[in-house]
Each structure stands twice: as structure tokens, then as C-alpha cells.
Amino acid sequence: NRTPRSSPFSSYRKLANKLLTRIARTQISHSHLLIRSRTMATTRIGTEDPRMSKIVIHNGIVYISGQTDGTTTDIKNQTANVLKKVDDLLAQANTDKSKLLTSSIWLKDISRDFKDMNDVWNGWVDPNNKPVRATVEANMAREQLLIEVQVTAATE
């Protein structure tokens, strides 16, 4: 009868198993941290309106409601007024337009107002930190509204 001899690789196998166990524990630990970091609180600001919040902040992202302006009848002034509202809401959320991620713009008459809206937008947007943007034509909730703008921004 022969007694089993240990293989020259058995010490390497033991070392490999120890390393794999440590790696697995580290991965579990890191995934736990990732899950914890993804469950941050949600903050809502400007909740007086029964339909919506003006601002929602979740996981470091600021979402603002669509902004409109019915105090003037031309697209350039409405756009400037709407972008001022956007600036004010971003400031309430402790961020600014340099941290914009997305922008959605709705125009009542895109063929008539796109160029003039863009003139105002281009003067307002941070040229070094432009968001992704979509602009479409849409029916507006009130006759005098020519534009609505909604953005998301990072807090950091």
C-alpha cells in the first residue's frame, strides 16, 4: 500500500484557495458598499403645488419641473425668463448650470421660434459644460406659453 504523497502543487492550491476566498470576501464587501451608496435619501423642494415638486434631489442628481413663462409674448423674452427660473431652482438645490446633465425643451412653434430660442440658450448655457439636449414642438398647457424647459443636473 502506498500512502498518498502530496503533490508538489498542493501548497500552491492551498495558497490559491486562500486568495480566492479573500477576493470573494472583498467583492461582497464592495458590493455591499455600492448598494448602500445607491440608497441615499430623496429630497423634495417646492411641494406646495398638489401636482408636483419643483425640485427632486436623488442620489446626487437634481431634477427640476418644467419651467414656463407667460408674462411676455415673444420667444426671446420667454426663454430668458424661463432660464432665469432654471438658474433660481438650481441654486435652491445647491448646484448650477455648469453641472447640467440633460435638458428637454418644448416649443409651441419650432419652425418659427427655434433660431431665436437658440440665440438666448447659447448665451446662457455654460460653453464648457453643455448638457445633452432635446428640443421638440408641442402643444402647450396655456395659449400664451411658447416654451417649456426641464433640466437635470449633478450636485457635485
Side-chain angles (χ1 to χ4, degrees), residues 106-145:
W106 296 269
L107 293 173
K108 183 175 186 173
D109 187 336
I110 200 165
S111 60
R112 179 191 68 203
D113 294 334
F114 189 71
K115 182 190 176 312
D116 287 340
M117 179 277 300
N118 267 331
D119 289 344
V120 177
W121 173 270
N122 292 341
W124 173 81
V125 73
D126 183 329
N128 297 315
N129 297 290
K130 296 174 271 197
V132 296
R133 188 184 101 174
T135 305
V136 297
E137 184 173 271
N139 291 323
M140 296 299 189
R142 289 178 285 155
E143 184 62 32
Q144 70 271 29
L145 300 178

Side-chain angles (χ1 to χ4, degrees), residues 56-134:
V56 174
I57 305 167
H58 181 71
N59 284 349
I61 305 295
V62 175
Y63 305 85
I64 70 164
S65 60
Q67 298 302 300
T68 61
D69 176 69
T71 64
T72 182
T73 59
D74 66 289
I75 190 63
K76 284 191 172 196
N77 284 321
Q78 279 197 23
T79 303
N81 292 345
V82 164
L83 295 176
K84 170 72 171 101
K85 289 180 178 183
V86 169
D87 280 332
D88 292 345
L89 290 172
L90 292 172
Q92 286 180 51
N94 297 316
T95 192
D96 60 60
K97 64 186 172 189
S98 72
K99 296 180 181 87
L100 288 180
L101 302 172
T102 68
S103 177
S104 298
I105 301 173
W106 296 269
L107 293 173
K108 183 175 186 173
D109 187 336
I110 200 165
S111 60
R112 179 191 68 203
D113 294 334
F114 189 71
K115 182 190 176 312
D116 287 340
M117 179 277 300
N118 267 331
D119 289 344
V120 177
W121 173 270
N122 292 341
W124 173 81
V125 73
D126 183 329
N128 297 315
N129 297 290
K130 296 174 271 197
V132 296
R133 188 184 101 174

Side-chain angles (χ1 to χ4, degrees), residues 29-41 58-60:
S29 170
H30 286 294
S31 64
H32 175 70
L33 290 173
L34 289 174
I35 291 168
R36 273 194 13 204
S37 69
R38 289 184 188 148
T39 57
M40 296 172 65
H58 181 71
N59 284 349

